[in-house]
Amino acid sequence: METKKNTFAGGVGFILAAAGSAVGLGNLWAFPYKTSQNGGAAFVLLYIISVLVLGFVTMVCEIFIGRRAQANAVSAYKKVNKNLGWCGFLAVMLPVFIICYYSILGGWTLKYATHSFWGNAGMLESFSVNTPEVALFTGVFLLFSAFIIMGGVKNGIEKMSKILMPILFLLIVGIAGYSLTLGEGVRDGLRFFLQPDFSTIGPKQILVAMAQAFYSLSLGMGIMLSYGSYTGTHIDVKKSCMMICFFDTLVALLAGLAIFPAVAHFDPNLLGSSKGIALVFIILPDVFASLGTVGKIVSFLFFAMVCIAAVTSVVSLVEVVTQFIIQKFKVSRKFSGLGVVTFCFLVSIPIAWSLGHVAINGEMEHAFFGMDLLTFFDEVTNTLLMPMGALLACITVGWIIKPENALRELEASGSKMGGAVLQRVFCFMVRFVTPVLILFVELSGIKGELDAGQHAVVITALAFLAVCIGAYFMFLRNTNTGTNADEKLL
């Protein structure tokens, strides 16, 4: 066994990998349907503002914490203060929670891509309740992700990102261009997506836009911290964060250009509808089916694109957990990666069963606190735990490390955060504005769950947080949790 330096080879590779983690189902599935539910173009503007005000600042904080430690999330927070290591342990455990349900949707996209030439219209109800088949596609999806992880950061994640991200971008540009040529209804779709009607905006839309920014940019779940730990002084943090936010937002906007003109062309009544999963897995397959042979090709390209986006996101989630296991327990990357995906695959099976029977077919007698398990897990993570993770990163940089010290450290390593005015703006944002807005998202999320009678979601999130804190202080606080230098690649 040989010890090697496991790091990104260059800035382009890091940006593509981090953008790949951000560009996922949050852009190609969640962003379009949330835009549809929350007023169209006005929501899009709110989302872009949220990316700038919340996303960029939080991303800089997370990448900085990981970069200064050159270690997994637990060790990175311990380097700041030994009693903060639980923040890192939360960032390690949260991806496990997310992989278990996210990979199911990844398996769905793989099924839809491979089945496109036989037709996907009307397939969801029969496929979703066929749990063995769903488990098969989920397992293949996770194995592919594990294979990439086993290659390491430079030879696995970075190489994958340099190949898949340009393909994804070309596919989405091509599909968006095709949607714009459909003819009747395209202008109505563009008007809904690009012409703001601010009368549709209220507190709910603001909250959803801010929460979507966290979800879309992969914040609050340890990914940017983990990827940041693999960067060197040759990578400019400010420019990288700007490029990641830009690329992620661009893909979300292109997804809207691909979907809304097509929806308006085939069924304008769906603009502004509350459809969620249905938008991508029911409505679009019907659209593709109506196009005949051309539709089969477009369907394959579309779902291949969504599958690629899901893979790049799951790889980043698996890496956060894998990195910690490798460094803490001094095991191989192969053993760690396969162990993580195997555990998540086993947990995904009952979630897949619940999603098919409860969410798709409405068999509410099998519901878990009135919802399917995927929705339940999604509410716990996206509504409550991810904002908590982002808030902890901002507080750590803004009030414990202090932004002035962070700026000095970044400049010393070659990452200048702009001129004096921009630096003062950053310091003010990271100390006061961004944490307050994140706290607003967190408290509003809790209130929303309680108002909806979903006390179990809040209790589960608090219990998860308590377990992470307790486990850290009992088992990890006074033990060596490793650094990147401890990684050994077979």
mmCIF file of all heavy atoms in Angstrom, residues 16-17 26 125 221 227 333 419 432:
data_model
loop_
_atom_site.group_PDB
_atom_site.id
_atom_site.type_symbol
_atom_site.label_atom_id
_atom_site.label_comp_id
_atom_site.label_asym_id
_atom_site.label_seq_id
_atom_site.Cartn_x
_atom_site.Cartn_y
_atom_site.Cartn_z
ATOM 1 N N LEU A 16 -15.283 22.086 -11.959
ATOM 2 C CA LEU A 16 -16.206 21.160 -12.594
ATOM 3 C C LEU A 16 -16.735 20.134 -11.605
ATOM 4 O O LEU A 16 -17.914 19.770 -11.637
ATOM 5 C CB LEU A 16 -15.530 20.452 -13.770
ATOM 6 C CG LEU A 16 -15.269 21.310 -15.010
ATOM 7 C CD1 LEU A 16 -14.501 20.516 -16.049
ATOM 8 C CD2 LEU A 16 -16.585 21.816 -15.592
ATOM 9 N N ALA A 17 -15.862 19.654 -10.688
ATOM 10 C CA ALA A 17 -16.301 18.686 -9.687
ATOM 11 C C ALA A 17 -17.298 19.314 -8.715
ATOM 12 O O ALA A 17 -18.337 18.731 -8.396
ATOM 13 C CB ALA A 17 -15.099 18.133 -8.925
ATOM 14 N N GLY A 26 -31.602 18.895 -8.119
ATOM 15 C CA GLY A 26 -32.054 20.185 -7.622
ATOM 16 C C GLY A 26 -32.243 21.189 -8.735
ATOM 17 O O GLY A 26 -33.128 22.050 -8.675
ATOM 18 N N GLU A 125 -46.333 4.462 -12.742
ATOM 19 C CA GLU A 125 -47.136 3.742 -11.753
ATOM 20 C C GLU A 125 -46.728 2.279 -11.658
ATOM 21 O O GLU A 125 -46.586 1.739 -10.557
ATOM 22 C CB GLU A 125 -48.626 3.867 -12.088
ATOM 23 C CG GLU A 125 -49.202 5.245 -11.794
ATOM 24 C CD GLU A 125 -50.717 5.256 -11.884
ATOM 25 O OE1 GLU A 125 -51.322 4.170 -12.027
ATOM 26 O OE2 GLU A 125 -51.291 6.352 -11.818
ATOM 27 N N MET A 221 -24.132 20.368 3.701
ATOM 28 C CA MET A 221 -24.060 18.904 3.791
ATOM 29 C C MET A 221 -22.630 18.388 3.646
ATOM 30 O O MET A 221 -22.419 17.219 3.325
ATOM 31 C CB MET A 221 -24.982 18.267 2.752
ATOM 32 C CG MET A 221 -24.690 18.646 1.332
ATOM 33 S SD MET A 221 -25.859 17.900 0.132
ATOM 34 C CE MET A 221 -27.038 19.212 -0.040
ATOM 35 N N TYR A 227 -14.608 18.906 -0.606
ATOM 36 C CA TYR A 227 -13.899 19.242 -1.839
ATOM 37 C C TYR A 227 -12.884 20.358 -1.591
ATOM 38 O O TYR A 227 -11.797 20.360 -2.176
ATOM 39 C CB TYR A 227 -14.898 19.670 -2.907
ATOM 40 C CG TYR A 227 -15.550 18.520 -3.650
ATOM 41 C CD1 TYR A 227 -15.431 17.207 -3.206
ATOM 42 C CD2 TYR A 227 -16.298 18.741 -4.796
ATOM 43 C CE1 TYR A 227 -16.015 16.159 -3.874
ATOM 44 C CE2 TYR A 227 -16.896 17.689 -5.484
ATOM 45 C CZ TYR A 227 -16.753 16.399 -5.024
ATOM 46 O OH TYR A 227 -17.345 15.369 -5.699
ATOM 47 N N ARG A 333 -9.738 3.205 0.190
ATOM 48 C CA ARG A 333 -10.830 3.919 -0.457
ATOM 49 C C ARG A 333 -11.841 2.936 -1.048
ATOM 50 O O ARG A 333 -13.050 3.187 -1.011
ATOM 51 C CB ARG A 333 -10.250 4.836 -1.537
ATOM 52 C CG ARG A 333 -11.270 5.614 -2.351
ATOM 53 C CD ARG A 333 -10.606 6.718 -3.139
ATOM 54 N NE ARG A 333 -10.305 7.845 -2.249
ATOM 55 C CZ ARG A 333 -11.140 8.842 -2.018
ATOM 56 N NH1 ARG A 333 -12.331 8.864 -2.587
ATOM 57 N NH2 ARG A 333 -10.795 9.829 -1.226
ATOM 58 N N GLY A 419 -11.058 43.992 -3.579
ATOM 59 C CA GLY A 419 -10.496 45.166 -2.934
ATOM 60 C C GLY A 419 -11.028 45.382 -1.533
ATOM 61 O O GLY A 419 -11.805 44.578 -1.003
ATOM 62 N N PHE A 432 -23.325 39.107 9.712
ATOM 63 C CA PHE A 432 -24.662 39.560 10.080
ATOM 64 C C PHE A 432 -25.755 39.134 9.098
ATOM 65 O O PHE A 432 -26.744 38.526 9.505
ATOM 66 C CB PHE A 432 -24.672 41.093 10.227
ATOM 67 C CG PHE A 432 -23.711 41.599 11.246
ATOM 68 C CD1 PHE A 432 -22.529 42.240 10.854
ATOM 69 C CD2 PHE A 432 -23.949 41.435 12.598
ATOM 70 C CE1 PHE A 432 -21.632 42.706 11.787
ATOM 71 C CE2 PHE A 432 -23.047 41.897 13.541
ATOM 72 C CZ PHE A 432 -21.890 42.531 13.143
#
